[in-house]
Amino acid sequence: MDRNFARALSLVLKSEGLWSDNPADPGGATMKGVTLANFRRYVKADATKADLRKISDDQVATVYRRFYWDAVAGAQLPGGVDYALFDYAVNSGPGRAAKCLQAVVGAKQDGKIGPDTLVKLKGMMRATVVDEVCDQRMAFLKRLPTWKTFGKGWSSRVSSVRDEAMKMAALPDAPPPVRVEVPVEVPKPVVPEKVEQKVKEKSGFLSWLTGLFGSGAIGLGWLGGMDWQAVLAGGVVLLVFLLILLLLRSQIVAAVRQIKAEVAE
């Protein structure tokens, strides 16, 4: 995948090293793995070896992306497979790397990774593809006449590529979504109008009853002003009224609370 380009490039550069101009190397003079021919093709047409040795990091990334990564459709390959094929392309050419992948997945080996190759690739496990690509790459390198000179270094490089590609293949192509917990404010229950009306009716009845008992008590007190026995009788009656009032009040309060609790649920 394209998000692996930066990581894959950093791994490739560790293997490529810096300046090299070994006569036995068919690639000729290279700096950070960039050949003079590719530097002239993508950066500066009349570049010299001295210019190549001064190549910037951005120029290196441009060459690797355009000549190798894009050539093997790196942005469309699954994680791990992209790096294994990318490194193969840098080391032995994009065309050969692409044909190797096509041979592994059973597609037409034309050196151009297209829809057919990608569809067949999706039907295979990444680890299997990485292993087979690295195996075929090693088989090719061992057939080269320069194997005796570079074989040890190539073996170490392919082994490292295999290990890193397997790690990348084990990771998901996209990071899991980040879940953000948003506190939800629970609205207070709204008491319907009918319930409010019932509460008012209960309260009104209580007020009326209280007034009635109060008026009765006053009347009895006035009548009892002429006789102490009447006053005593009025006091007893008033006490009874008060007890009844307290009992009714508690029942009404309990009923109101029950109504509100039912609404809240």
Side-chain angles (χ1 to χ4, degrees):
M1 300 188 68
D2 202 49
R3 67 185 180 87
N4 286 335
F5 173 71
R7 180 179 178 185
L9 178 58
S10 67
L11 292 171
V12 166
L13 293 179
K14 289 180 181 179
S15 300
E16 289 297 323
L18 298 176
W19 176 255
S20 175
D21 194 10
N22 193 326
D25 188 348
T30 61
M31 180 62 177
K32 297 183 179 180
V34 177
T35 64
L36 182 60
N38 282 334
F39 186 66
R40 288 172 175 171
R41 181 178 181 182
Y42 293 109
V43 181
K44 186 178 179 181
D46 59 346
T48 63
K49 289 184 179 180
D51 295 326
L52 177 61
R53 296 191 70 159
K54 299 177 183 178
I55 189 171
S56 68
D57 291 342
D58 288 342
Q59 291 172 337
V60 169
T62 297
V63 173
Y64 273 94
R65 178 181 285 280
R66 296 183 61 184
F67 189 69
Y68 300 111
W69 183 262
D70 291 345
V72 296
Q76 302 178 63
L77 301 179
V81 177
D82 52 5
Y83 168 53
L85 207 66
F86 177 51
D87 191 88
Y88 192 176
V90 172
N91 196 205
S92 303
R96 186 175 301 281
K99 289 180 180 179
C100 175
L101 178 64
Q102 290 172 330
V104 169
V105 301
K108 181 181 178 180
Q109 298 178 46
D110 57 5
K112 296 179 181 180
I113 298 176
D116 183 57
T117 303
L118 295 174
V119 169
K120 287 181 168 60
L121 174 60
K122 287 183 179 180
M124 299 183 65
M125 294 184 63
R126 302 178 190 183
T128 300
V129 176
V130 169
D131 260 337
E132 292 192 19
V133 166
C134 290
D135 288 344
Q136 289 200 23
R137 180 179 177 182
M138 281 300 302
F140 163 71
L141 292 173
K142 289 179 179 179
R143 294 194 298 267
L144 296 178
T146 52
W147 171 257
K148 291 183 179 180
T149 304
F150 301 105
K152 185 176 180 180
W154 287 339
S155 295
S156 177
R157 176 169 181 165
V158 175
S159 177
S160 176
V161 168
R162 190 193 302 267
D163 291 342
E164 291 296 331
M166 285 295 188
K167 294 177 183 177
M168 296 170 72
L171 299 175
D173 283 337
V178 179
R179 296 184 61 184
V180 179
E181 297 293 339
V182 179
V184 179
E185 183 178 355
V186 180
K188 294 181 179 179
V190 179
V191 181
E193 293 181 0
K194 291 183 178 180
V195 176
E196 289 186 353
Q197 184 62 32
K198 289 182 179 181
V199 173
K200 289 179 180 179
E201 290 175 359
K202 296 286 185 180
S203 300
F205 173 73
L206 179 61
S207 299
W208 174 82
L209 190 61
T210 302
L212 179 62
F213 287 167
S215 299
I218 294 172
L220 288 173
W222 178 77
L223 290 175
M226 297 178 295
D227 187 72
W228 68 268
Q229 293 179 344
V231 173
L232 179 61
V236 172
V237 172
L238 179 61
L239 180 61
V240 172
F241 282 174
L242 289 175
L243 291 175
I244 295 174
L245 176 62
L246 291 175
L247 179 61
L248 291 175
R249 179 182 179 84
S250 62
Q251 290 179 350
I252 294 174
V253 170
V256 171
R257 288 179 179 175
Q258 182 178 359
I259 293 173
K260 291 185 177 181
E262 290 176 355
V263 173
E265 293 178 356

